[in-house]
Amino acid sequence: MEGWLNNNFINACPKCLRNHDCRNCGRSEPRGKLTATDWLADKPGIEANQKLVEVLFKNTRVGFFENTDNIHIQIGDLIVVDGTPGYDIGRVNMLGHLVSLQMKKSGFKDFSELKSVLRLATEEDLAKFEEARSREHSTMIKARSIAEELGLAMKIGDVEFQGDGSKAIFYYIADERVDFRKLIRILAETFKVRIEMKQIGARQEAGRIGGIGPCGRPLCCSSWMNRFVSVGTGAARLQDLSMNPQKLAGQCGKLKCCLNFEIDAYAEANKELPPRETHLETKDNVYYLFKTDILGRKLTYSTDKHLPANLITIEAKRALDIIDLNKKGIKPEFLSDELPLETPSEFGDIIGQDSLTRFDKKNNKKKKKKKQSQNEPVPQNSDDSQSQDINRKQRHFHNNKNQRNRNQNPQ
């Protein structure tokens, strides 16, 4: 039974049909989206409908159901739910009080419209579902050709069959409103199933395809995100990021979802920083804000309003103290609370990089030295001449001694 699930599901054990460690066969192969943790399970005083179930289907499609028959289910179980008509198969994503919070967040109010959970998925249900899912790719290719023949400005990105194979959901992307009534009639006649058209955005399309983000990890939309929140440029400004579309945009062409992850922390940190337009006055100069380290609570000031000149980095607390002193008409002697370091009044070219032709001059000198060495004899050093004189005297002494010995002992 392996291989029938796509990247939005978890391979179920053929015996227990669960995604966690199977005690019967020891099988543990997690796949796809991460499940939610019921962090309210052991909290006392939680009064809510424990029969509420959130079920995750393909392409981040989520539905809310009610466990009216009190079936023993857990997070990650594959269950059969009411499809009206027919039935569908999905994975349990959340249980209990957390589901009621998610329903309130999504604006779901009428609890009487909740459909019921039928049973845990059996091998027969999975086999029938696998057969229906095997037709999805060919159905998508055929539907694309039909939409192209009708001249519709839309792209059919994926097809999802219901668990019993009696209904098909066509996910499409379109920039403008599309009249697909004729397309629905042709698709119903061609595939003999009920047709439902569902428009998705660029973020859902990127999550369906998947990929690796600039952080080196799988995309959040394809690994754990089920709901997408709009991301504005205000999140980038609040974090003091460069407004570069190539760096802020994800693979979907929209602003990265991760810009919203740390926005609360930056909002709290910005409350402890002075206003950006406020300048600091000392006895010798006026300083303007040049750069901000939001999380580090450090500010860099410049004596020029538009250029980095005489940069000094101070703590946010020190900047707030100077602002209070300036409001009272007091100007401190130095911007920093520490004594300034002595700086040289003049700057010199230490490494000799003042000329662009310095390499050419050095090469010419080397060439001239080589020519002189070839034409002129190499002068002897004083040390070499002294050693040569000593050697000459030693040879002369030995020669005289040998001559005296020969005279005294003639053969």
Side-chain angles (χ1 to χ4, degrees):
M1 299 305 299
E2 299 181 7
W4 67 274
L5 295 168
N6 70 336
N7 60 346
N8 288 337
F9 283 87
I10 293 180
N11 286 350
C13 175
K15 297 181 181 180
C16 63
L17 301 178
R18 294 178 182 174
N19 66 328
H20 49 75
D21 294 345
C22 178
R23 297 182 179 180
N24 296 329
C25 59
R27 181 177 179 270
S28 174
E29 296 183 7
R31 295 288 187 272
K33 298 277 185 179
L34 299 175
T35 56
T37 301
D38 190 1
W39 53 275
L40 291 175
D42 55 348
K43 301 296 180 181
I46 300 298
E47 296 180 359
N49 189 0
Q50 298 296 330
K51 296 183 179 181
L52 296 178
V53 182
E54 183 187 73
V55 182
L56 177 65
F57 300 96
K58 187 181 179 182
N59 291 328
T60 67
R61 182 170 64 93
V62 178
F64 301 105
F65 300 88
E66 187 175 6
N67 188 9
T68 55
D69 297 335
N70 295 324
I71 304 173
H72 179 68
I73 56 178
Q74 299 178 5
I75 294 178
D77 290 348
L78 299 173
I79 59 175
V80 179
V81 297
D82 186 12
T84 58
Y87 63 87
D88 203 353
I89 297 178
R91 189 191 68 182
V92 178
N93 194 45
M94 200 175 296
L95 293 170
H97 183 65
L98 294 178
V99 181
S100 61
L101 297 179
Q102 291 292 337
M103 294 172 66
K104 185 184 297 184
K105 183 178 179 180
S106 59
F108 193 92
K109 298 180 180 179
D110 192 0
F111 286 81
S112 61
E113 297 180 358
L114 285 175
K115 301 176 184 179
S116 59
V117 177
L118 300 181
R119 60 184 179 275
L120 287 170
T122 61
E123 294 186 6
E124 296 179 359
D125 297 330
L126 298 180
K128 191 172 183 179
F129 190 33
E130 181 184 3
E131 181 182 357
R133 294 288 297 279
S134 62
R135 297 180 294 163
E136 289 180 352
H137 184 71
S138 59
T139 302
M140 180 187 65
I141 300 300
K142 182 64 176 178
R144 284 181 179 179
S145 61
I146 295 174
E148 185 178 359
E149 293 175 359
L150 296 177
L152 300 178
M154 59 183 297
K155 174 190 174 183
I156 298 178
D158 199 2
V159 178
E160 177 186 0
F161 274 95
Q162 195 171 266
D164 56 355
S166 61
K167 178 183 175 181
I169 302 176
F170 290 81
Y171 297 91
Y172 71 95
I173 302 175
D175 296 332
E176 301 177 356
R177 186 175 180 180
V178 181
D179 184 9
F180 45 74
R181 289 176 294 181
K182 185 177 181 180
L183 176 64
I184 291 177
R185 291 196 299 268
I186 297 176
L187 293 178
E189 295 175 356
T190 304
F191 302 111
K192 308 299 180 182
V193 292
R194 290 183 294 113
I195 304 298
E196 179 182 350
M197 305 297 295
K198 188 173 183 179
Q199 187 176 2
I200 60 176
R203 300 182 189 277
Q204 289 85 349
E205 181 69 9
R208 187 189 65 84
I209 297 175
I212 302 298
C215 59
R217 305 186 65 179
L219 298 178
C220 296
C221 54
S222 62
S223 59
W224 62 271
M225 292 185 66
N226 296 331
R227 296 176 179 84
F228 300 92
V229 182
S230 60
V231 184
T233 55
R237 292 192 182 94
L238 186 62
Q239 301 177 43
D240 200 16
L241 298 177
S242 175
M243 302 303 293
N244 188 349
Q246 295 181 355
K247 293 183 178 180
L248 297 180
Q251 295 188 7
C252 58
K254 306 292 183 180
L255 292 177
K256 296 178 182 178
C257 297
C258 55
L259 293 177
N260 285 343
F261 295 169
E262 299 180 356
I263 189 171
D264 295 335
Y266 277 90
E268 292 293 332
N270 275 315
K271 295 180 181 179
E272 303 177 4
L273 301 179
R276 294 177 178 272
E277 63 276 3
T278 304
H279 58 272
L280 307 182
E281 297 182 5
T282 60
K283 291 182 178 181
D284 59 344
N285 218 325
V286 179
Y287 293 87
Y288 303 91
L289 182 63
F290 176 73
K291 184 176 62 175
T292 305
D293 184 2
I294 300 176
L295 299 182
R297 273 77 170 179
K298 294 183 179 180
L299 307 172
T300 302
Y301 285 89
S302 171
T303 55
D304 192 282
K305 194 172 184 179
H306 304 288
L307 298 175
N310 302 322
L311 298 179
I312 299 179
T313 302
I314 61 175
E315 298 288 340
K317 183 179 179 181
R318 173 63 177 173
L320 294 174
D321 294 340
I322 295 177
I323 292 174
D324 294 338
L325 293 175
N326 293 155
K327 290 180 180 179
K328 298 176 182 179
I330 303 174
K331 296 181 180 180
E333 186 176 358
F334 303 111
L335 185 66
S336 177
D337 54 355
E338 299 178 357
L339 294 177
L341 299 176
E342 296 182 359
T343 55
S345 59
E346 296 181 359
F347 296 94
D349 184 20
I350 300 176
I351 58 177
Q353 294 186 357
D354 55 344
S355 176
L356 296 177
T357 59
R358 60 188 184 278
F359 298 110
D360 298 338
K361 291 180 181 179
K362 289 183 179 180
N363 293 334
N364 292 334
K365 290 181 179 180
K366 290 182 179 180
K367 291 181 181 179
K368 290 181 180 179
K369 288 182 179 180
K370 289 183 179 179
K371 290 182 179 179
Q372 291 177 359
S373 62
Q374 293 177 359
N375 298 330
E376 298 178 0
V378 179
Q380 295 181 354
N381 296 331
S382 59
D383 296 338
D384 296 341
S385 60
Q386 292 179 1
S387 60
Q388 290 179 2
D389 293 340
I390 293 173
N391 294 334
R392 190 181 304 107
K393 291 180 180 179
Q394 290 179 353
R395 287 197 300 271
H396 182 70
F397 174 77
H398 287 294
N399 292 334
N400 293 336
K401 185 177 181 181
N402 294 333
Q403 185 64 27
R404 287 195 299 270
N405 294 331
R406 284 195 298 270
N407 296 332
Q408 294 177 1
N409 301 315
Q411 292 181 357

